[in-house]
Structure formats: C-alpha cells, structure tokens
Amino acid sequence: MRFIFEQIRVGGDRNFGYLLGDREAGVGVLIDPSYTPEAVVERARAQGLKITHILNTHGHADHANGNEGAKALTGALVAGGPGHPGPTDLTLRDGDRVPFGAYAIRVWHVPGHYHDHLAFLVEGEDAGFTGDLLFVGKVGGTQTEADGRTEWASLQRLLREWPPHTTLWPGHDYGARPSSTLAWEQRYNPFLLCPDVAAFLKAKGEWAGFKAKHGLK
C-alpha cells in the first residue's frame, strides 16, 4: 500500500499522534506528535520515511509539547495555525496545502476550541484530522459563549465542505472507539444533532449531566 497511515497513542490524556506518508516517495508528515515524539519518529523510520513537516492541529501544550523533540530528531518544519503560541517555522492558513510525495493535506482554519485550530483533510483519501474540534460522540470544550458560537460555525463548515464518508481521526481517544466518519457523527453525535446554535450552546452547558446519565467518559 503506497499511502501510509498510522494512528499512534502518544500518552497524555489519551492523546493521539499521526504518521502519514508516501511509501514510494519515502516522505511523510507528523500530526501532533506530543509527549512521546521519539515513538512517532521511530514509526516513521520503520516505514522508511523522511519527515518533512510536523503539523499541529492547535497550540495547546498537550498537542504541541512534542514539537521540539520531533524537530530535533527529523529536522522537519514545525507548522501551526495563525497565532500559534509556540515557535513555528511555517504558519498554515485556511486553504493551504501541504504536499508529501504524491499526496497532499488541505488545511481548514476551524477556530472555537482554540483560536489557531486547524483541521486537515488528505486529498483523495478522505481522511480528516479534527484535533480537539470534533471527537467521536462529542466536541471540543470552549471557554466562552463567543467561542461556542465560533465552534458551531466551524463544525457546520466541515459538515458542508467535507465528504460525508470522510473518516474522522480526533486528537484524543475520548469516544466509544478511536475513529468515526463524518456521516456517522452527523447521525449520532448529540452536538451535531442540534438544530441551531442556541441548542448547541445549551447542550454544551448540560454536557456533564448528559455524560453522567449515559455512562460516558
């Protein structure tokens, strides 16, 4: 298989890191290789890949704390969204593309959970990386009502612009399984079932009680 994809448990609060690559070209990228970047880099070496980019979905420390280690091991460029709080070599903006061999990642700027939050879609493979915006069965936390409204708009944008069959790969293993599809989440995720932003904000406010009632972690 030419397209290399690995979901890697990196530690922290059930954090996921990701390795993507082109086997024939021998190049790849990392997404959020936090906590144990050496383990993610070792997987790249085992696959025979030279890492060109280290991509952050957002600048929260639990996603970006492996940047320095991964860069030291690979020499790759560290890339984050607009206003990323840590040192980066490259700022990614909405609509940018990051190539790796015959493949490319398309960038969506999807703030709400955090101002610099990005989502990544591998063109032609319909694999989407949602960081802390969208999880399996839930959505990312927000600090204010304004942030909640921004997050709602970002989620609605992905629902409009990503193919329904897109596989979703989140930043944490917070759901009943480690991945999902956009169609599945649209059908079952209680936050995506909300008819409008007012209902969405109400659901976020009642989430703790909802989790307790339904035995969710």
Side-chain angles (χ1 to χ4, degrees):
M1 183 179 294
R2 180 170 185 170
F3 178 58
I4 293 174
F5 167 83
E6 292 192 24
Q7 182 187 55
I8 303 166
R9 298 179 185 276
V10 293
D13 185 13
R14 295 167 277 168
N15 281 69
F16 285 131
Y18 294 94
L19 167 66
L20 305 176
D22 179 336
R23 189 179 306 279
E24 292 186 19
V27 296
V29 301
L30 306 180
I31 298 175
D32 291 347
S34 57
Y35 292 104
T36 52
E38 64 280 0
V40 184
V41 172
E42 176 54 37
R43 289 306 309 149
R45 289 174 176 165
Q47 294 280 15
L49 298 176
K50 175 179 174 55
I51 298 303
T52 61
H53 293 81
I54 299 159
L55 309 181
N56 285 164
T57 57
H58 61 296
H60 281 157
D62 62 327
H63 292 261
N65 63 28
N67 288 354
E68 183 177 344
K71 182 179 176 66
L73 291 168
T74 65
L77 298 175
V78 175
H84 190 289
T88 58
D89 303 300
L90 180 64
T91 297
L92 296 176
R93 304 188 184 280
D94 194 80
D96 282 350
R97 295 172 74 252
V98 180
F100 57 104
Y103 304 98
I105 291 171
R106 173 85 180 276
V107 177
W108 269 257
H109 183 213
V110 285
H113 174 74
Y114 202 50
H115 65 271
D116 73 336
H117 204 297
L118 304 175
F120 304 120
L121 185 67
V122 183
E123 296 177 348
E125 300 297 329
D126 297 325
F129 300 86
T130 53
D132 285 7
L133 173 70
L134 178 59
F135 299 114
V136 177
K138 60 177 285 189
V139 297
T142 47
Q143 299 299 311
T144 66
E145 179 178 321
D147 288 342
R149 291 180 179 276
T150 299
E151 182 178 69
W152 166 263
S154 292
L155 289 163
Q156 295 304 305
R157 185 180 175 207
L158 291 192
L159 290 175
R160 290 192 308 269
E161 298 182 7
W162 282 15
H165 59 270
T166 298
T167 56
L168 297 182
W169 304 91
H172 297 265
D173 189 12
Y174 283 167
R177 56 198 175 281
S179 65
S180 189
T181 67
L182 193 61
W184 184 278
E185 293 305 306
Q186 193 168 15
R187 184 173 180 181
Y188 295 110
N189 189 310
F191 295 98
L192 300 189
L193 288 170
C194 292
D196 53 38
V197 66
F200 177 75
L201 294 173
K202 184 173 185 292
K204 287 178 72 70
E206 297 174 348
W207 179 237
F210 183 94
K211 285 198 299 182
K213 180 179 178 180
H214 293 86
L216 303 175
K217 60 183 178 179

